[in-house]
Amino acid sequence: MTFILNLVTIVMYFFFSKMNPDMTVFGIPSTYLEFCFLGLSLQMIIGTSLATVCGSIYNEIASGTWSYLLLQFNFIEYSIGSTLAGVFLSSLSVFAALFLAYLFMGSFYVISIQEVMLVILLFLLILIAHMSISMIFASFTIYYQKNSGLVPLLYQLTITFTGIVFPISLLKGFPMIISRTLPLTYGLEALHSIVLADQNNWQLIVTNSMILLISSVFFGIVAIFLASKSITHSKKHNKVDWY
Amino acid sequence: MSTKKASTVIEEFQHSDLSTSFWMGFKATFYRNIKIIWQYKFTLFLGFVNTFAVASLFFYIGNLVPNQSISQDGYIVSSVTYIFAGSMLVDISTRILKKSMNSFTSEMKQGTFETLATQPFGLKKYFVSEITFEVFYSLVFSFIYYIPVLLIFPVFRGLNLSLLSVLSFLLVIVCVIFFFFSLSLLAANVTILVKRGREISMVIIGVMHLLSGSLFPLSLFPDWLRIIAYISPMTLAVQSFRLCLFGQGTLINGIVWGSVVMLILMSIIILILFDLTYKKIYSKIRYKGTMHEF
């Protein structure tokens, strides 16, 4: 299902790219398809890393397995394990969709080994940042025993305001502020610079990587603190599970 | 007791005088759902932000089109307005499907579906009541959410519509709603069998978005894909919706009446399919003992 969804999204923007949006106007040295391909391929993986911890814990609570899991794992182990599993599975479908898209749409990136390493590093930083955010939402789920609906909202904001399908230079005022508070904006900006530009803008890449690293650490610490409080609270009030 | 015997008992129960009438069950479903929604008041606010984000996405994409104008079916309109109109119709109508599927998936996850299946009200009536509620809920809240969004993005300002165009436009919308009501019924049927409601709705919505030409004119499709696109009733619906809004289209126009006929015809076919498959699917899941989703 995820594979079909990825493919459909890529095909939709492939046809939109046939309207020939001029990306050089925005200072992006590529065609529209090359530009949005990067963001679209990341979109599903980001969604998975954002939703996994929070969604899995909600399901565990609803089905009554959360109390048992608490005996076997700690929160961080559970978060990393479930995120990696989710991301691995969604990556498979994304790679398959990308392969088909490459095959039929003929859009290729030419990048060096050094740039591949940078892309992998950025990819990991983006994943960790979103996993940490998901851990924060998971702690709310543990405390309130409810699904807040914040994750789908954050996902929609991420799709819209991080420059996946249009350059963020189009944004002005409040939308620009939203954009700058979302980690994927920094990740995509650096990725676009590495993959699309002829010359790597090292200052931008290092700054954005540092922002991602610091925000991951910050969100991670906040998440661990909130989760431990929430777990203590749910144990104290004897409501680890719903049933 | 065998499955056949259990079915007979339930059917007899549903037709006895003690059975809940459709209207009473319908009211109970409405009342229960409003109580559930009220428990999640915060998500009502989130719904607005979500609508704003979706609308923003299409607004900014519209700005990327060269010359910022698109021509189709004899009218020329701003690309932002064009994309916004098509995407808004697809967004609002597909919410019905998404919400219905989410509702059935939750019932199965939480284990309340099994209880509902054994109620004297009858599962089929419950399907109709639940989806009618979701149609009502999706439309009311889409209306509430889109009013401020259209004030933020005044893309439809200055449109000149004749009375006939407005009436044709409203008829197209009613047909789209009826189509999604029937599609949700059939999809709910499939959901109880394969237990993947959210995923099914996401794929259907994705494919409809692509084929409807919400982001671009269908002339960009190759011929073979354009033929496939017209199999989806949403393609003609989006086209006639835009024609009524921007090209003074009325029911006299082939695209408009064509879309109305197609939507009604497809809705009837889907309803018949639902009726034909319902009993088989219900018996199958009871025979397999897969009422819940774990």
Side-chain angles (χ1 to χ4, degrees), chain A residues 189-231:
Chain A
E189 211 171 33
L191 278 174
H192 284 146
S193 171
I194 294 167
V195 179
L196 303 178
D198 295 331
Q199 293 286 317
N200 291 339
N201 184 346
W202 285 106
Q203 196 187 349
L204 180 107
I205 295 166
V206 173
T207 312
N208 285 13
S209 303
M210 287 311 288
I211 291 170
L212 278 174
L213 186 68
I214 292 166
S215 60
S216 302
V217 173
F218 174 73
F219 288 137
I221 291 170
V222 172
I224 292 163
F225 174 74
L226 289 177
S228 63
K229 288 274 175 202
S230 300
I231 291 169

Side-chain angles (χ1 to χ4, degrees), chain A residues 129-236:
Chain A
H130 287 89
M131 184 187 77
S132 309
I133 295 171
S134 187
M135 283 161 71
I136 294 180
F137 291 134
S139 63
F140 294 145
T141 304
I142 297 166
Y143 190 92
Y144 293 107
Q145 309 265 302
K146 267 183 187 176
N147 205 346
S148 62
L150 283 166
V151 171
L153 176 71
L154 189 65
Y155 181 55
Q156 186 58 55
L157 289 173
T158 302
I159 291 174
T160 306
F161 295 111
T162 55
I164 291 178
V165 287
F166 62 84
I168 52 167
S169 54
L170 273 174
L171 302 171
K172 280 175 186 69
F174 184 63
M176 190 56 165
I177 298 168
I178 299 175
S179 172
R180 284 294 165 199
T181 55
L182 297 165
L184 189 62
T185 306
Y186 300 98
L188 262 183
E189 211 171 33
L191 278 174
H192 284 146
S193 171
I194 294 167
V195 179
L196 303 178
D198 295 331
Q199 293 286 317
N200 291 339
N201 184 346
W202 285 106
Q203 196 187 349
L204 180 107
I205 295 166
V206 173
T207 312
N208 285 13
S209 303
M210 287 311 288
I211 291 170
L212 278 174
L213 186 68
I214 292 166
S215 60
S216 302
V217 173
F218 174 73
F219 288 137
I221 291 170
V222 172
I224 292 163
F225 174 74
L226 289 177
S228 63
K229 288 274 175 202
S230 300
I231 291 169
T232 312
H233 175 268
S234 61
K235 280 180 179 167
K236 190 178 167 187

Side-chain angles (χ1 to χ4, degrees), chain B residues 261-293:
Chain B
V261 170
M262 188 163 181
L263 283 165
I264 293 173
L265 213 70
M266 286 299 277
S267 307
I268 292 167
I269 292 170
I270 290 172
L271 283 176
I272 293 169
L273 264 177
F274 165 72
D275 201 53
L276 288 175
T277 53
Y278 167 76
K279 261 193 180 172
K280 277 187 184 170
I281 288 177
Y282 184 43
S283 305
K284 196 169 183 177
I285 56 162
R286 279 194 23 226
Y287 180 73
K288 282 189 170 178
T290 55
M291 279 277 194
H292 288 329
E293 179 196 346

Side-chain angles (χ1 to χ4, degrees), chain B:
Chain B
M1 194 190 290
S2 71
T3 317
K4 204 176 174 183
K5 272 184 184 169
S7 309
T8 319
V9 170
I10 289 172
E11 249 176 52
E12 279 172 8
F13 199 20
Q14 282 168 18
H15 292 103
S16 81
D17 293 338
L18 293 168
S19 172
T20 316
S21 70
F22 178 73
W23 177 240
M24 288 298 285
F26 186 68
K27 262 169 66 181
T29 311
F30 250 68
Y31 184 65
R32 182 201 70 156
N33 286 356
I34 286 171
K35 275 184 89 174
I36 294 172
I37 290 167
W38 193 244
Q39 280 192 20
Y40 293 86
K41 291 181 278 290
F42 185 55
T43 54
L44 298 180
F45 167 71
L46 295 185
F48 165 69
V49 185
N50 200 53
T51 308
F52 170 73
V54 171
S56 304
L57 180 71
F58 296 118
F59 175 80
Y60 289 112
I61 287 176
N63 275 303
L64 291 177
V65 178
N67 303 323
Q68 300 204 353
S69 68
I70 292 176
S71 71
Q72 189 182 288
D73 301 327
Y75 61 84
I76 300 172
V77 70
S78 141
S79 57
V80 175
T81 312
Y82 178 91
I83 290 175
F84 206 96
S87 306
M88 191 177 78
L89 180 69
V90 178
D91 178 45
I92 294 174
S93 48
T94 51
R95 274 176 199 211
I96 297 169
L97 183 70
K98 208 188 304 180
K99 286 204 182 294
S100 306
M101 293 307 93
N102 281 354
S103 153
F104 281 94
T105 311
S106 302
E107 300 277 15
M108 281 188 291
K109 269 197 177 147
Q110 290 166 9
T112 45
F113 187 71
E114 197 164 6
T115 317
L116 285 164
T118 54
Q119 293 300 303
F121 181 46
L123 198 57
K124 201 173 184 177
K125 286 181 198 165
Y126 172 72
F127 268 52
V128 176
S129 310
E130 177 64 30
I131 288 168
T132 308
F133 175 82
E134 296 301 345
V135 170
F136 179 76
Y137 172 55
S138 308
L139 290 178
V140 168
F141 278 91
S142 297
F143 190 69
I144 295 169
Y145 295 148
Y146 265 102
I147 288 174
V149 165
L150 288 172
L151 290 173
I152 298 168
F153 303 111
V155 287
F156 297 132
R157 202 165 47 191
L159 282 182
N160 229 340
L161 290 169
S162 67
L163 182 68
L164 270 176
S165 293
V166 172
L167 291 175
S168 310
F169 168 81
L170 289 174
L171 184 66
V172 171
I173 291 177
V174 170
C175 292
V176 169
I177 294 165
F178 181 52
F179 171 71
F180 271 92
F181 168 78
S182 31
L183 188 65
S184 301
L185 269 178
L186 186 67
N189 216 5
V190 179
T191 301
I192 62 167
L193 181 70
V194 296
K195 327 285 182 204
R196 286 284 176 268
R198 284 194 185 107
E199 292 83 350
I200 291 171
S201 67
M202 292 292 279
V203 169
I204 296 175
I205 291 166
V207 173
M208 276 191 176
H209 237 302
L210 166 68
L211 296 181
S212 67
S214 52
L215 281 189
F216 42 78
L218 289 177
S219 53
L220 290 174
F221 276 161
D223 290 341
W224 62 269
L225 192 56
R226 209 175 310 152
I227 294 165
I228 295 173
Y230 278 112
I231 295 170
S232 161
M234 272 310 276
T235 310
L236 261 181
V238 170
Q239 206 174 338
S240 59
F241 178 81
R242 281 174 176 149
L243 187 62
C244 293
L245 273 179
F246 313 128
Q248 298 286 342
T250 59
L251 264 179
I252 306 161
N253 194 295
I255 294 170
V256 182
W257 72 255
S259 74
V260 169
V261 170
M262 188 163 181
L263 283 165
I264 293 173
L265 213 70
M266 286 299 277
S267 307
I268 292 167
I269 292 170
I270 290 172
L271 283 176
I272 293 169
L273 264 177
F274 165 72
D275 201 53
L276 288 175
T277 53
Y278 167 76
K279 261 193 180 172
K280 277 187 184 170
I281 288 177
Y282 184 43
S283 305
K284 196 169 183 177
I285 56 162
R286 279 194 23 226
Y287 180 73
K288 282 189 170 178
T290 55
M291 279 277 194
H292 288 329
E293 179 196 346
F294 293 109

